[in-house]
Amino acid sequence: MNALSEQVARKVRVVIVDDHAIFRSGLKADLDSRIDVVGEAGTVEQAIAVIAEVHPEVVLLDVHLPGGLGGGGREVISASAPLRGSTSFLALSVSDAAEDVVAVIRAGARGYVTKTISGPEISDAVIRVADGDAVFSPRLAGFVLDAFGTSPAEIADDELDRLSARELEVMRLIARGYSYKEVAKELFISIKTVETHVSAVLRKLQLSSRHELTKWAAERRLL
C-alpha cells in the first residue's frame, strides 16, 4: 500500500459520549468516512470504562453528563488522565456559558464546539483535534484566547470572572472601537441588547465610559 492509500485508508477512532441516545445516533450518522466510531457512552461511568477499553484517538464529549461524582465531562477527562497524549477530548455541548468552557478546557479538553455545528464541521473538528490542533466554535474562540492567553495577569482576573461569555465578546469589540451597530451586526443581536451588555460590563468592572473600558482592556492585552 502506498503512502496515499494509507492516508485514504486511515480513520480516526472516536468515542461519542452523550446522555441522549438519539443525539448519539444522529451524530454518528453525520460523521463522514474519515471517522470510525468505536464506542458510545451515556454516563460518566460508562464513558470512563469505554475510553479505557478502546483507547480512542478522540472523544466527543458532552459537558453535562449524569453519574459519577457530579463532575460531568470534566470528571471523564480527569479519570482518563493515564491516556492523555494518545486520546484527545473535544467538548460538544448546547452550552456556551463561560464557566462550562473554562472548566472543561482547564480539565484538559483540546476544544469546545456547540451543538449547532454541522456534520461536515464536526468531522473536520475531529480530524483537526486528532492531528493536535485546538478547535473552538467561532463565538467561543475570542473568549478562550482571553481566558487562557499570555497577558501579564494571565486573565485570572477576578473582574473578568464576573462577565458572561457574551459580555466578554461585547466588551472586546467595544474596546476595539466598534460602534453599537457594528457590534450588533457582528454578534447577530439587537442594538438594544448591545446597550444592555455594555451597561452590565461597565457596572461589573466599575468603569464609567468607553474610554476607560478601552484603557482597561489594553492594559490586560485583550484587544
Side-chain angles (χ1 to χ4, degrees):
M1 183 181 292
N2 60 36
L4 180 59
S5 297
E6 290 178 354
Q7 184 177 16
V8 172
R10 177 183 178 271
K11 290 189 176 185
V12 174
R13 301 172 71 254
V14 170
V15 164
I16 299 174
V17 179
D18 192 281
D19 60 335
H20 294 96
I22 291 177
F23 176 80
R24 295 198 306 269
S25 297
L27 178 58
K28 185 176 179 179
D30 280 344
L31 295 171
D32 67 31
S33 60
R34 297 172 294 172
I35 295 164
D36 181 18
V37 177
V38 295
E40 299 180 28
T43 67
V44 169
E45 293 88 351
Q46 290 172 1
I48 293 170
V50 169
I51 292 166
E53 178 183 355
V54 303
H55 292 200
E57 292 174 73
V58 176
V59 178
L60 277 169
L61 179 67
D62 190 12
V63 173
H64 300 289
L65 287 172
L69 301 175
R74 290 181 290 113
E75 188 175 345
V76 173
I77 297 173
S78 297
S80 303
L83 297 176
R84 198 73 56 81
S86 61
T87 297
S88 297
F89 293 83
L90 175 60
L92 179 63
S93 177
V94 295
S95 171
D96 62 356
E99 57 270 24
D100 288 335
V101 180
V102 170
V104 77
I105 298 303
R106 282 181 176 161
R110 288 293 298 170
Y112 193 114
V113 294
T114 60
K115 288 183 177 179
T116 57
I117 194 170
S118 70
E121 288 173 333
I122 190 61
S123 296
D124 287 341
V126 167
I127 299 301
R128 288 176 59 192
V129 167
D131 288 340
D133 290 343
V135 180
F136 299 94
S137 290
R139 293 193 182 189
L140 302 180
F143 166 70
V144 173
L145 288 173
D146 288 348
F148 297 92
T150 56
S151 73
E154 296 182 359
I155 317 303
D157 201 320
D158 287 343
E159 293 173 307
L160 276 182
D161 292 338
R162 301 173 195 166
L163 305 184
S164 68
R166 176 64 83 193
E167 287 168 351
L168 282 163
E169 290 178 320
V170 171
M171 177 274 290
R172 201 174 187 211
L173 294 174
I174 290 293
R176 285 178 172 180
Y178 281 56
S179 68
Y180 284 15
K181 183 177 180 180
E182 289 170 333
V183 173
K185 183 178 180 181
E186 181 77 14
L187 300 180
F188 303 99
I189 56 179
S190 70
I191 295 176
K192 181 65 176 177
T193 301
V194 174
E195 292 173 348
T196 300
H197 285 314
V198 171
S199 295
V201 168
L202 293 176
R203 183 182 71 254
K204 290 179 180 181
L205 300 181
Q206 298 182 352
L207 302 173
S208 60
S209 68
R210 183 180 190 137
H211 174 73
E212 288 184 0
L213 179 61
T214 299
K215 181 180 178 183
W216 182 90
E219 288 173 348
R220 289 159 178 77
R221 298 183 186 176
L222 299 176
L223 302 182

